[in-house]
Amino acid sequence: MTEIETLLADARGRLAGLPREALGDWRTPRRVLGLARAPRIVPAGSAWHLGVLLLTDDAVLATGEIVRARQEMRRGFTAESQRRRAATAAAAFRGGFAEGTTVHVGWTVLDPAQVTGEASSGLLALRDGVPAVRWSAGGGYQPLGAYLDERIALLRTPPAGA
């Protein structure tokens, strides 16, 4: 077991009993009588949301898009991005998620065993021999242990109003 895997296993133990968020996968239903049906987002498990990471019982994932499922309704949009987000939220609702449920879509599986050597780059990496996580696309790396400690503390005791 690598040092990254050890840190993640320890985090799973500390997260036991804390709330998880839903994972979803896009599905395009079969045609019925030759008519296309709207795509939907179907349940694919649950994970603890730790910033840029999603931690499941047996995997670590990179966070993708996050939406709240909601029923589709006609709306006026000032931006195409709003229209796309509303369509994604409606797809989650069509896929069986209750209204208001937070759903993670477009996540990718990370392989901690593949993080070797100082030349590693990506979301998880080694920096000076220390497991690290890149907390934003333009940001630098932070030690993974400290990052997990901070995120677990926030999950345990969310800030007021969160």
Side-chain angles (χ1 to χ4, degrees), residues 24-125:
D25 271 335
W26 280 99
R27 292 285 187 269
T28 303
R30 295 180 302 139
R31 291 177 171 266
V32 174
L33 300 173
L35 299 174
R37 298 185 328 184
R40 58 196 66 227
I41 297 171
V42 296
S46 66
W48 292 284
H49 183 199
L50 302 171
V52 297
L53 300 174
L54 294 167
L55 195 58
T56 68
D57 290 330
D58 58 358
V60 62
L61 316 168
T63 303
E65 185 177 7
I66 305 167
V67 297
R68 286 200 187 271
R70 68 172 182 241
Q71 198 164 17
E72 195 166 13
M73 60 180 66
R74 274 176 111 41
R75 299 180 180 173
F77 295 100
T78 57
E80 187 59 31
S81 61
Q82 287 177 308
R83 186 179 316 280
R84 281 192 304 274
R85 283 195 60 75
T88 302
F93 184 78
R94 276 193 307 277
F97 291 99
E99 182 129 11
T101 301
T102 301
V103 182
H104 293 268
V105 187
W107 40 266
T108 54
V109 177
L110 302 174
D111 186 359
Q114 297 296 319
V115 179
T116 57
E118 295 299 320
S120 58
S121 64
L123 194 58
L124 295 174

